[in-house]
């Protein structure tokens, strides 16, 4: 049976929530650090803390970036990923996530994929979030990834050029391009970040699989709103076997035959 992962995004999804959920589902933070150390990237630290969000125990992953880095282009980010010693499948997925993200950002800003600056999503913490989530799902043995409909929230969020509506334009563009299902929620604020949207629209199918659940991980967001657990639930388990059996269909054309003979043939 195939091992699968289901992202239950009832309160949204972001890069740090995915990292926290992977760790909470059973991957030691030391193992995740070891995978991320295979990237030619420094100037950051990764830690994990047990927290509560509206009474739910979860793991909050924090990427602590030291200093400030200049905005990266897509080529800059891909160079970091492709120069790593991570497995080829991880590198391919990482390239696909950032390619999709750059295409959405370029469309929103009226720029080209080659020249658009990724700002926050091209920063060190975004690279760590994306490649950490990809590596963590591999370490959990997930062969296929599925995702629930996305709650987009409302309100406003600060951006590099000023205040932006929620969902952020890049998030909305990613969701539109993937034809990802969304759902309305009463919660305000940004629930799905561009990084989170890029990861799930690239890696996941938007359906809930039939599965036997073996592990559940809770990844906490940085905010702790009252009355709502700001967490992502990650289900890990085995896909259920489909109960099917082969069937045989026999067909023929009747052209020149009397009714008596046809009745005899039908009876046989």
């Amino acid at each position: 049976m195939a091992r699968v992962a289901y992202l239950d995004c009832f309160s949204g999804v972001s890069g740090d929530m995915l990292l926290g959920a992977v760790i909470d589902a059973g991957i030691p933070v030391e193992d995740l650090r070891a995978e991320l150390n295979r990237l030619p990237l420094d100037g950051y630290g990764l830690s994990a803390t047990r927290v509560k969000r509206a009474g739910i125990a979860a793991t909050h992953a924090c990427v602590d970036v030291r200093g400030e880095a200049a905005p990266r282009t897509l080529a800059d980010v891909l160079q970091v990923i492709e120069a790593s010693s991570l497995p080829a499948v991880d590198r391919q997925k990482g390239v696909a996530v950032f390619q999709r993200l750059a295409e959405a950002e370029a469309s929103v800003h009226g720029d080209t994929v080659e020249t658009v600056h990724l700002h926050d999503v091209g920063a060190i913490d975004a690279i760590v979030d994306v490649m950490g989530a990809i590596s963590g799902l591999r370490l959990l043995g997930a062969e296929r990834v599925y995702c629930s409909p996305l709650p987009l929230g409302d309100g406003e969020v600060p951006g590099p050029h000023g205040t932006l509506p929620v969902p952020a334009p890049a998030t909305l563009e990613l969701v539109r391009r993937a034809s990802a299902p969304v759902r309305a929620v009463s919660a305000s604020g940004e629930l799905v970040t561009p990084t989170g949207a890029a990861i799930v629209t690239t890696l996941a199918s938007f359906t809930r699989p039939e599965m036997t659940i073996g592990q559940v991980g809770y990844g906490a967001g940085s905010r702790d709103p009252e009355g709502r657990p700001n967490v992502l639930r990650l289900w890990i388990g085995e896909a259920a076997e489909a109960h099917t059996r082969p069937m045989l269909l026999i067909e023929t054309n009747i052209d020149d035959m009397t009714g008596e003979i046809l009745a005899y043939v039908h009876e046989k």
Side-chain angles (χ1 to χ4, degrees), residues 20-27 59 140 215-218 234 236:
V22 163
I23 295 167
D24 203 62
I27 301 302
T59 296
L140 285 167
Q215 300 148 266
V216 178
Y218 289 82
L234 171 60
I236 299 291

Side-chain angles (χ1 to χ4, degrees), residues 37-58:
N37 284 340
R38 299 169 72 175
L39 289 160
L41 197 66
D42 53 21
Y44 76 93
L46 173 64
S47 61
T49 307
R50 293 290 289 169
V51 298
K52 283 191 176 183
R53 296 288 184 261
I56 301 295

Side-chain angles (χ1 to χ4, degrees), residues 44-160:
Y44 76 93
L46 173 64
S47 61
T49 307
R50 293 290 289 169
V51 298
K52 283 191 176 183
R53 296 288 184 261
I56 301 295
T59 296
H60 180 229
C62 179
V63 181
D64 180 26
V65 178
R66 297 182 286 276
E68 293 187 9
R72 289 179 170 86
T73 64
L74 176 63
D76 297 329
V77 175
L78 299 191
Q79 184 177 14
V80 171
I81 295 172
E82 291 171 341
S84 75
S85 62
L86 288 167
V89 65
D90 285 13
R91 298 197 304 271
Q92 291 166 2
K93 289 176 180 177
V95 166
V97 169
F98 279 102
Q99 179 74 39
R100 184 182 293 256
L101 189 50
E103 290 172 357
E105 291 278 5
S107 175
V108 166
H109 296 295
D111 212 331
T112 67
V113 172
E114 293 76 20
T115 59
V116 66
H117 285 91
L118 298 180
H119 296 286
D120 291 345
V121 293
I124 290 175
D125 52 347
I127 298 173
V128 172
D129 286 346
V130 171
M131 300 313 298
I134 290 171
S135 298
L137 289 169
R138 169 174 52 82
L139 293 175
L140 285 167
E143 300 171 49
R144 296 195 295 269
V145 181
Y146 299 87
C147 187
S148 69
L150 301 174
L152 297 184
D154 60 16
E156 296 178 334
V157 63

Side-chain angles (χ1 to χ4, degrees), residues 49 83 116 161 185 249 259:
T49 307
V116 66
H161 302 294
V185 293
L249 175 65

